[in-house]
Amino acid sequence: MPRVRELEVFRLVLPYGRRPESILVRLTDYGGMTGWGEVVDADPKTWVALEEGLAQALIGVDWEHPDELGAVPGGSAADMACWDLWARMRGVPLAHALGGTRTSLMATVRIGADRNLESLVARVNRHVCAGYAHVTLDVHPGWDIEPLRAVRQAYPVLGISVDARGAYRDVAALEALDAYTLSAIERPCAVLADHADLQQRVAAPVLLEVASAAELGEAIAAGAGRALLLRPSALGSLREVRRVHDRAVRAGWEIACAGGRGTGLARAATVAAASLPGCTLPCDVAEPPRSAQIVDPPVGPSGGVVAVPLTQPGLGHRIDEARVRRLAKESYSA
């Protein structure tokens, strides 16, 4: 039975891009076992919630399973740490603890908009040569048919999805994309009714991102798609991840998993979630910069494939605690 005796919370500033921040939670039970969790680009209220409520909710409290804890203060970081601790104590990988069955995952790589078609095709070529069998192209009104045609002509059998990030208001403008044999049309519109209209017009599954099982239920009832973008960090808990997964599977929807950037911890949880049986579409867990990773082995694809860690319990990665403390902007313990 897990029983937390101490916890530490770290705010990290990561050494790449615009220096994004992550919040890490480390739990230690009375036997010395530890569990880790991460939330990437957290709302400022998350730190306050952790500081004010996490110790009271967990320290000295007996529980048999993370689902018993309900909504843990601090959201997905604390929830992930509880699951990691629970799985490590039982000697099982997190993927199996969640009900995952896959041992490896096909990865996709996202290709940003590039006004130079030759440059775009060259970028795709680099990833194909690295072993990727699937790419996701960013599109928006006025930049969709031409890049898609160029990539499809260069790679007739390559798996391709497009991601519009809700940019389209004219559903008819998206219909022509269906001629290029797409794996999915991701987040095409901002309105649910437009998604439903588009799904009636195209053979490719329209792929939606939701924030809860209830929101997914609305999309299913509206016929607004046939595929789900499952982002564990956005759902607050791994229990909700399983609920959303199970509901999508019952509706016959396909699922693609996507992970946060961060230090590698959040992506490790995404890999575990992507091992669930309904996650049949390529996953987006591209490796964060090595300079930011605090896990060993690093999380990310090799040859376009992501291995699900099954030989180690919990998240399946060793944590470089010394590096965590070097990157920490602030921390506290209880």
Side-chain angles (χ1 to χ4, degrees), residues 37-59:
E38 176 184 26
V39 60
V40 183
D41 295 330
D43 185 292
K45 296 179 181 178
T46 301
W47 182 265
V48 176
L50 287 164
E51 200 167 24
E52 293 181 350
L54 188 59
Q56 182 178 356
L58 290 182
I59 290 183

Side-chain angles (χ1 to χ4, degrees), residues 264-280:
L265 278 173
R267 286 189 184 263
T270 299
V271 169
S275 74
L276 289 166
C279 298
T280 54

